[in-house]
Amino acid sequence: MDIGKLLGGVLGSGSSTGSGSNGDVLGNIARSAGLSSQTASKAKEGIGNAMGNGVGGGLIGGAISGGLMSALLGSKKGRKVGGKVLAYGGTALVAGLAYKAWRDYRNNQPPTDHSQDRDITQVPTDSGFAPEQERGADNSDFRLSLIRAMIAAAKSDGHIDQSEHARISDQITRFDLGPDEKAFLFDAFSAPANPIEIAKLAKTEEQSAEIYLASCLAIDPDDPAEQHYLDRLSDGLRISDDLRTHLDFQARNARNVDITAN
């Protein structure tokens, strides 16, 4: 499967790293973290690259602009905010937040808000929290596992009706993609939101943490059905209550970041 084509041609805007509306928003995110203009410019470029190269960022970024995920994200505030967080941070953000939550948990530290840490995407390559270098339990690129996890979580309240399924299928058909990429998308959007099957995509504890956190950012935290989905996912991933507390804390604070602040 050509993941680069999947990202650049359909799910993201890898070229939108420094100009246009995406570039302006990314600059605002960097500046809202208190960075200088020069540092913010570099950060904007780095975050933009994460959008283009990180499957999660490309997927949700493309969703907001192209509508592929709009039916999944719906109109509920919590899920829309989570989707925007993923759009502007991508899998690099998921990995960074999961890594820091894991580190605090393993060091017996209380949950700490890392959502605005300047080094949030600088994860050690040997930490087990580098999705672009990981293989999932099915031996595929682990970033694809994160896509599946996000889609399943966003669908978990069962709000996708037949007409929305048809619209998504039509969009996928019209994309300039090869058969493997289209097959992946059809499969991901058509599969039931089964948390036990999603849990099977993780082969390490670190990947379990990433899948859980990515799922947290794709749901509406106030929807009982979606919370039930997360409960079952957590059980399937065998995440301890203490680690889940840390991961939930990171997701909750990430949703509260004002990503449009000047």
Side-chain angles (χ1 to χ4, degrees):
M1 180 182 295
D2 187 342
I3 296 180
K5 187 174 182 181
L6 185 65
L7 297 175
V10 180
L11 303 178
S13 50
S15 62
S16 299
T17 58
S19 62
S21 59
N22 279 344
D24 293 337
V25 172
L26 293 174
N28 289 338
I29 297 167
R31 287 188 291 272
S32 71
L35 279 61
S36 67
S37 296
Q38 182 176 5
T39 305
S41 178
K42 293 180 178 179
K44 179 177 68 176
E45 179 180 359
I47 296 172
N49 289 337
M51 284 180 66
N53 299 323
V55 172
L59 175 69
I60 307 298
I64 291 174
S65 61
L68 187 60
M69 281 279 287
S70 61
L72 295 178
L73 294 176
S75 60
K76 296 180 181 179
K77 180 180 179 181
R79 187 161 48 225
K80 287 180 69 177
V81 171
K84 289 179 180 179
V85 170
L86 288 169
Y88 302 130
T91 52
L93 176 69
V94 171
L97 289 175
Y99 167 69
K100 292 203 170 188
W102 172 271
R103 188 183 63 186
D104 290 346
Y105 159 72
R106 293 298 291 267
N107 291 335
N108 294 315
Q109 298 293 320
T112 303
D113 180 10
H114 295 294
S115 62
Q116 298 191 62
D117 287 5
R118 297 183 184 182
D119 64 345
I120 193 62
T121 62
Q122 298 173 18
V123 176
T125 56
D126 61 351
S127 64
F129 289 92
E132 70 281 358
Q133 300 181 29
E134 301 169 34
R135 309 299 290 184
D138 59 357
N139 202 37
S140 67
D141 188 307
F142 183 62
R143 292 171 294 177
L144 298 179
S145 299
L146 292 178
I147 284 184
R148 291 187 183 276
M150 294 174 201
I151 291 174
K155 290 173 56 178
S156 62
D157 68 348
H159 75 285
I160 303 298
D161 60 23
Q162 188 173 359
S163 64
E164 288 169 330
H165 271 297
R167 180 168 61 83
I168 291 171
S169 295
D170 180 64
Q171 288 176 333
I172 294 173
T173 300
R174 288 187 282 106
F175 286 144
D176 181 20
L177 288 176
D180 289 343
E181 290 78 18
K182 287 187 178 181
F184 172 81
L185 289 173
F186 278 124
D187 181 57
F189 279 94
S190 300
N194 187 330
I196 304 306
E197 292 302 314
I198 293 298
K200 292 178 181 178
L201 298 175
K203 69 176 182 180
T204 67
E205 293 180 283
E206 292 87 348
Q207 289 184 358
S208 292
E210 290 177 89
I211 284 176
Y212 179 81
L213 184 56
S215 301
C216 281
L217 289 172
I219 70 159
D220 177 356
D222 298 322
D223 188 297
E226 296 182 52
Q227 277 297 328
H228 178 65
Y229 176 90
L230 283 183
D231 290 342
R232 295 185 63 209
L233 178 64
S234 178
D235 290 342
L237 293 168
R238 298 183 179 180
I239 293 177
S240 70
D241 290 342
D242 286 345
L243 177 56
R244 183 178 179 182
T245 296
H246 279 78
L247 295 169
D248 286 338
F249 185 84
Q250 296 307 324
R252 183 165 59 251
N253 282 284
R255 286 193 190 93
N256 290 334
V257 173
D258 182 3
I259 59 177
T260 61
N262 291 309

